[in-house]
Every structure is written in structure tokens, then in C-alpha cells.
């Protein structure tokens, strides 16, 4: 890197972070041997160290970001609007050209290049941010890199013809080539770094309610893919802290609903920005979530793709026309941001057609093209999942024990009530009642829910952070945690072994590994089929209940058991089959003396 480049980059870096100058109080001199004489706060020194560390670690990325396509000159200008482009995939391309296919984007003097496709990766699903200065024609060229670089086609999109602050899904045909590109393009109609003086107050913003008549239940002749409409007004945020030297963020807000994405302008140099923007989204699935992310426009944070705060809001939990503050999830580990409470002020309204929304739930969920799935080895999450599986096994076990308790008449009143309820239910039962029986658990949990919202929020344990681990380190030692994890692992292992063994026994029963048992099951099934044909199923289940409840009196010394599981236990699993196999007896070699005697 040249000295000139570093000087230019550092100047831009310190200008974007807005360093606040400190005056030296009277009586203090700058003594090089005693630098502590300067009245500089520890917080300011921490910010300087943090900023220089980020610049040193990401210097190459910053250089590439600035130098690529003459960005050093572009950054000095003021762009009219930003363009967000998502390159998804291509179709109808010449056979065999997918492997090594890539695209180039050019908008004015700015350009980007996508990654190459391969046999394992047949779609790009990449996002690019570009800026409109004077030229609004986006040129996309498709190339193939095989033994030699070859041109596959191009397409030109006039961005001035697209509606702003709305995501457009396009299939663009290639000129001078074969095939088409699948793109998502969003034009954000905001200028860069709008001054704070030009931002209107919240009193001048009016939240627009969606048209309810358009999505009435009887209006079914319109677009079936769009089931509703969401209106969101983003007023502002408070308590935002960035990684810059001044601690003030050039914050902007990104709103995403499935594949639709819009963003506000950036408000420079404040931790309490006011955006005052209203957006409208087309709702394709009422079970989707609106994701709101607050980011910093500085170069380093853009390179690291860090967020100041984030929140996800299920559409079904939105209360129409309610203006409220929502807490942002701040994952920053910067020590300067400790104690901050970032929040955002929103007002949302949603309407949807109930018939369309219900039928839409039976179709595949819309794929989010740019969703990143990161595989992390999270020990607290693994521990929580293992504990959940253990609880499921224990619930099944205790349920079985409770049935034994009832069948064995340990409590005569409960057993008598259970027997009477069983007989009455099966006497009046008809097949059309089956869906109503399935509704009963929903009714039970409806009346026992903890809150009154449409979607009850479960009391989930939050992810354990480093601070939480430090606080609980004294309560539970590492040895204790290892013993708990070992106990959970063995419990789950035993449960999985039982399920696998049971499935293997059923498989071997079907494959006639023990012909006698398989023929016996076939005979019993034929007899049961004849019985179901001749006798109503109600009477059969009533007789089964009487048999289960009276076994205790018919045989007082009987050991409680499960007839079906006891029968299946006679069938060997794969491990037992290996033990049952006869070993071949090796043939004795014939000696020469024996052969001569013969």
C-alpha cells in the first residue's frame, strides 16, 4: 500500500467518525515524558485503540473496497439513490455452461463481479449494493470461465423505469446470447447522509393504513400470491453506539420481509437518529417475519457486515396502528457499548384476506435467497437440545407408568372413572368425531396458555453469554457440568438404542427372519380383519378396555406388561442376528502321510 493511499484512507476514516477535539485545560502542558498530564478520557483512548485496530485488521479489505472501480473518486460525489441487486440464478443457458458461469455488473463507473458457479453450487444468491449518480442503466454481462474466458450474453436494465422503495423480481433475457437471469432489484429513493436539519420531525409523518376493502374475505379474483399488505413507519431510534472514535453512528435502517428489502437514508453523527420513513410491503405469507436491522454506514463496518441492532417481528403479532418502542438485540461485544439500551420507534398495520392466507399455508414457503446459514458449535444450545430430548423420553416413560397405574387399580376411584369414560366414549364414538378428538389438546392448551396474544411466546432460555458463564462459574464447576452432560448423553443414547432396536425387530419380522413369528402375525392380522368386518369397532374397543382393566382381578399375581412390546421382543434385532449366524467350520488340511495311505 502506498503512503498516499494510507493518508487518503485515514483522512476519510477520521472524517467519517467525526472526532471531537479536546482542549487542554489551563495549567496543563504537553510533556512528552509525562503524557498522563493531558486531560484525555479513558473512553476516548479506548475508541482510538478500537478504531486503529479495526483499520489495521481490515486494511486490505478497505484498500480493495476503495480502489476497485475508482471508488476513491466516486466516494467524493453525492449519489442520487442506492440500488440493491440480488443475483439468484440463470436458466436456459447452453448445456454444460453452468460450471464456471459468473456475472459482471456495471452502473456508471461502478462495477461488481459475482462468484463462479460450480457443480455443487448451481445458484449465486449474492447481494450487491450500487449507487446511481448520473447513469441509471444497469448493465449485466454473463461470462464463462473454462479453458478460456468466453462471453455468454448481456442485458441492460433501465432503473429509472422501476418504482422506488419496492423490490422487483425480474427474469431478464440475455442479448447476444442464450438464456435469462433471475434478479431482485430494489431502488431506495434516499440520498446519502441526509443532514439532520433536513429530517422532518415525527409530527410531520403520517402512518398510512392499508386498504381493508381490497383484502376483504370475498375478494378472491385478484392476485392469489399476494394475500395481504403491510404498512411500516420507522420514526427513529435511541441508544445506538457504533465502533467509531466518536461513538456516533451514521445509522440507517434495513427492513426485510421474505425477499423484499428496503432501507432508509443514513443520519450522520448521532446516536438518536430520526428517519421518519413509511414503507408498504406485499404480504405473501402471514406467518413470515419482518426483520429490521440497524447498521452503520462507515467503511469498516460495511466491510465487516456488522449490525448495531436487530429485531424480528412475526406478522401475526402486529397490533394495527400501534406506535411503540421496541428493544433492539445488540450483539456487539464492544466494551464501550455496555449498558446501552438500543431501541427503535415503529408503527405498523397489516391486513390480509383470510381465505387466501389460509390456502397459501398449504403451498411451499417462499425461499429467502440471501439467507445465510452459519454452522456453529454452540455448547449451551446442544445442552438445551439434549435436555429437551431427555424430557420427551421421560414424558413417554411417565405416561406409560401412569397407564399401568390406572390398569392395575392402584387408585380404585380413578380406575373406575377411567373405565367408565372409556366405555361411554367408544359406545357413542363415530368416525366423523376423529377431527374433534384431535382438537381436544388444542382446547386444553388454549385455556392454559400463559398470555392472551395470538401467538403465545414461549419462555425460552436466552443464549448463555460469556458474562453469564462468569456469573455461574462459582455455582457449578466444570466437573459438575460434565457429569450433567454425560448423564443427558447416556439417557438419550439408551432411548435411541431402544427405538433403533424396536425398528430393526419390526423390519426383521417383515423379512421372515423368524418365519414362525411372521406367520403368526399374518394369521392374527387376518383374524383381526374378519373381526373388524363382522363386529363394529366400537364394541371391539369396549371389549379391549374391559380386558385391560380386568386383568388385575383375573390374575392378581400378574406382572404388568405390554402385550405387543413383549411379542416384538421375541424378534431378534440386527445385533442378535449376527450372534445367531452359524460360523463356518474350517476344513482340516490333508497331510501327505494320509494321502499316501489312501
Amino acid at each position: 500500500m502506498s503512503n498516499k493511499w494510507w493518508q487518503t484512507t485515514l483522512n476519510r476514516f477520521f472524517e467519517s467518525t467525526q472526532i471531537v477535539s479536546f482542549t487542554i485545560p489551563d495549567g496543563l502542558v504537553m510533556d512528552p515524558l509525562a503524557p498522563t498530564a493531558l486531560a484525555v478520557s479513558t473512553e476516548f483512548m479506548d475508541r482510538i485503540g478500537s478504531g486503529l485496530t479495526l483499520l489495521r485488521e481490515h486494511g486490505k479489505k478497505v484498500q480493495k473496497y476503495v480502489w476497485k472501480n475508482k471508488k476513491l473518486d466516486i466516494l467524493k460525489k453525492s449519489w442520487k439513490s442506492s440500488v440493491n441487486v440480488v443475483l439468484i440464478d440463470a436458466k436456459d443457458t447452453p448445456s454444460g455452461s453452468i460450471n464456471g458461469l459468473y456475472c459482471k455488473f456495471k452502473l456508471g463507473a461502478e462495477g461488481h463481479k459475482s462468484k463462479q458457479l460450480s457443480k455443487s453450487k448451481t445458484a449465486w444468491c449474492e447481494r450487491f449494493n450500487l449507487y446511481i449518480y448520473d447513469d441509471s442503466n444497469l448493465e449485466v454481462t454473463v461470462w464463462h470461465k473454462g479453458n478460456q474466458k468466453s462471453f455468454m450474453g448481456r442485458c441492460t436494465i433501465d432503473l429509472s423505469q422501476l418504482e422506488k422503495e419496492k423490490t422487483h423480481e425480474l427474469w431478464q433475457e440475455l442479448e447476444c446470447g442464450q438464456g435469462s437471469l433471475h434478479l431482485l432489484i430494489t431502488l431506495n429513493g434516499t440520498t446519502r447522509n441526509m443532514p439532520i436539519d433536513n429530517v422532518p420531525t415525527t409530527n410531520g409523518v403520517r402512518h398510512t393504513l392499508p386498504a381493508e376493502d381490497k383484502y376483504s374475505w370475498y375478494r378472491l379474483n385478484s392476485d392469489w400470491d399476494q394475500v395481504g399488505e403491510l404498512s411500516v413507519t420507522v420514526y427513529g431510534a435511541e441508544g445506538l453506539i457504533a465502533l467509531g472514535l466518536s461513538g456516533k453512528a451514521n445509522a440507517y435502517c434495513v427492513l426485510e420481509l421474505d425477499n423484499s428489502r428496503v432501507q432508509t437514508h443514513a443520519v450522520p453523527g448521532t446516536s438518536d437518529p430520526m428517519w421518519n420513513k413509511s414503507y408498504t410491503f406485499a404480504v405473501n405469507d402471514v406467518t413470515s417475519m419482518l426483520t429490521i436491522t440497524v447498521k452503520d454506514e462507515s467503511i469498516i463496518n460495511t466491510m465487516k457486515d456488522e449490525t448495531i441492532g436487530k429485531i424480528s417481528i412475526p406478522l401475526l403479532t402486529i397490533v394495527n396502528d400501534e406506535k411503540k418502542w421496541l428493544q433492539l438485540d445488540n450483539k456487539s461485544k464492544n466494551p464501550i457499548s455496555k449498558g446501552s439500551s438500543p431501541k427503535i420507534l415503529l408503527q405498523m398495520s397489516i391486513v390480509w384476506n383470510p381465505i387466501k392466507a389460509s390456502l397459501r399455508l398449504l403451498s411451499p414457503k417462499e425461499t429467502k435467497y440471501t439467507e445465510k446459514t452459519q454452522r456453529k458449535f454452540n455448547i449451551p444450545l446442544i445442552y438445551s437440545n439434549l435436555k429437551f430430548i431427555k424430557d420427551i423420553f421421560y414424558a413417554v416413560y411417565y405416561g406409560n407408568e401412569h397407564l399401568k397405574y390406572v390398569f392395575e387399580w392402584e387408585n380404585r376411584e380413578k380406575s373406575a372413572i377411567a373405565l367408565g369414560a372409556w366405555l361411554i366414549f367408544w359406545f357413542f364414538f363415530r368416525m366423523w368425531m376423529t377431527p374433534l378428538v384431535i382438537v381436544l389438546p388444542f382446547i386444553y392448551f388454549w385455556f392454559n396458555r400463559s398470555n392472551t396474544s395470538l401467538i403465545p411466546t414461549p419462555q425460552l432460555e436466552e443464549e448463555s453469554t460469556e458474562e453469564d458463564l462468569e456469573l455461574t462459574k462459582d455455582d457449578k464447576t466444570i466437573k459438575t457440568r460434565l457429569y450433567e452432560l454425560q448423564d443427558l448423553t447416556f439417557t438419550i443414547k439408551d432411548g435411541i438404542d431402544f427405538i433403533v432396536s424396536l425398528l430393526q425387530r419390526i423390519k426383521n419380522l417383515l423379512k421372515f427372519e423368524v418365519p414362525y413369528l411372521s406367520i403368526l402375525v399374518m394369521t392374527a392380522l387376518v383374524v383381526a380383519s374378519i373381526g373388524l368386518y363382522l363386529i363394529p369397532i366400537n364394541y371391539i374397543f369396549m371389549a379391549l378396555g374391559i380386558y385391560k382393566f380386568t386383568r388385575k382381578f383375573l390374575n392378581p399375581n400378574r406382572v404388568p406388561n405390554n402385550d405387543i412390546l413383549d411379542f416384538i421382543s421375541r424378534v431378534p434385532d440386527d445385533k442378535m442376528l449376527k450372534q445367531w449366524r452359524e460360523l463356518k467350520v474350517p476344513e482340516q488340511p490333508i497331510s501327505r502321510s494320509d494321502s499316501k495311505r489312501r
Side-chain angles (χ1 to χ4, degrees), residues 58 77 81 91 128 135 146 159 182 200 206 238 290 320 411-412 435 440 452 474-475 514 532 590:
H58 301 275
K77 301 179 182 179
S81 62
K91 71 174 184 179
F128 305 94
D135 189 5
L159 300 178
H182 190 191
R206 183 178 180 182
E238 291 183 359
L290 174 67
N320 284 349
N411 188 322
R412 295 181 178 273
L440 293 178
T452 57
D474 297 334
D475 298 336
V514 183
L532 291 173
I590 301 176

Side-chain angles (χ1 to χ4, degrees), residues 252-482:
Y252 66 96
C253 189
V254 178
L255 294 85
E256 295 178 283
L257 178 63
D258 294 331
N259 288 309
S260 299
R261 183 183 189 273
V262 295
Q263 73 179 52
T264 66
H265 57 276
V267 180
T270 177
S271 58
D272 302 327
M274 299 298 294
W275 296 294
N276 298 316
K277 295 288 294 184
S278 294
Y279 301 98
T280 301
F281 294 90
V283 178
N284 299 326
D285 192 342
V286 294
T287 61
S288 300
M289 288 194 303
L290 174 67
T291 303
I292 301 177
T293 308
V294 180
K295 297 185 177 183
D296 194 347
E297 200 187 32
S298 63
I299 296 178
I300 292 181
N301 288 335
T302 303
M303 294 292 97
K304 296 179 65 177
D305 195 23
E306 287 190 346
T307 61
I308 301 176
K310 187 176 182 179
I311 185 174
S312 297
I313 306 171
L315 298 185
L316 292 176
T317 61
I318 293 177
V319 179
N320 284 349
D321 206 22
E322 181 184 15
K323 186 177 180 181
K324 62 184 299 186
W325 287 96
L326 296 176
Q327 190 75 26
L328 293 173
D329 186 10
N330 184 13
K331 295 294 184 181
S332 175
K333 296 182 180 180
N334 183 22
I336 301 173
S337 64
K338 288 183 178 179
S340 62
S341 179
K343 56 184 178 180
I344 188 170
L345 181 60
L346 301 173
Q347 190 173 5
M348 297 173 288
S349 299
I350 183 174
V351 294
W352 72 82
N353 186 300
I355 297 179
K356 287 184 179 181
S358 301
L359 296 177
R360 183 69 175 83
L361 299 178
L362 303 177
S363 58
K365 191 175 179 64
E366 183 178 356
T367 303
K368 193 169 183 179
Y369 299 114
T370 58
E371 186 174 9
K372 297 180 181 179
T373 56
Q374 297 180 353
R375 301 180 62 183
K376 294 183 179 180
F377 191 80
N378 192 333
I379 294 180
L381 181 60
I382 294 175
Y383 182 85
S384 177
N385 292 339
L386 293 177
K387 188 175 182 301
F388 176 77
I389 298 175
K390 178 183 176 181
D391 294 340
I392 294 295
F393 286 156
Y394 278 159
V396 175
Y397 172 77
Y398 288 125
N400 184 46
E401 292 296 321
H402 185 71
L403 289 178
K404 291 181 181 179
Y405 175 81
V406 173
F407 289 150
E408 297 301 319
W409 293 82
E410 299 291 340
N411 188 322
R412 295 181 178 273
E413 294 180 357
K414 289 185 177 180
S415 299
I417 294 174
L419 176 59
W422 178 271
L423 295 177
I424 294 174
F425 172 79
W426 284 108
F427 182 80
F428 292 101
F429 177 78
R430 299 296 181 269
M431 188 57 66
W432 59 266
M433 298 180 183
T434 303
L436 297 179
V437 175
I438 301 176
V439 171
L440 293 178
F442 292 92
I443 297 176
Y444 171 79
F445 286 106
W446 174 268
F447 286 104
N448 289 275
R449 56 182 181 166
S450 57
N451 51 47
T452 57
S453 61
L454 187 59
I455 298 182
T457 304
Q459 300 295 330
L460 299 178
E461 296 182 359
E462 297 182 356
E463 295 183 1
S464 299
T465 60
E466 295 181 359
E467 297 179 0
D468 298 334
L469 294 177
E470 289 291 334
L471 294 175
T472 58
K473 185 167 60 176
D474 297 334
D475 298 336
K476 291 185 178 181
T477 62
I478 297 178
K479 187 176 181 180
T480 305
R481 291 182 177 275
L482 289 177

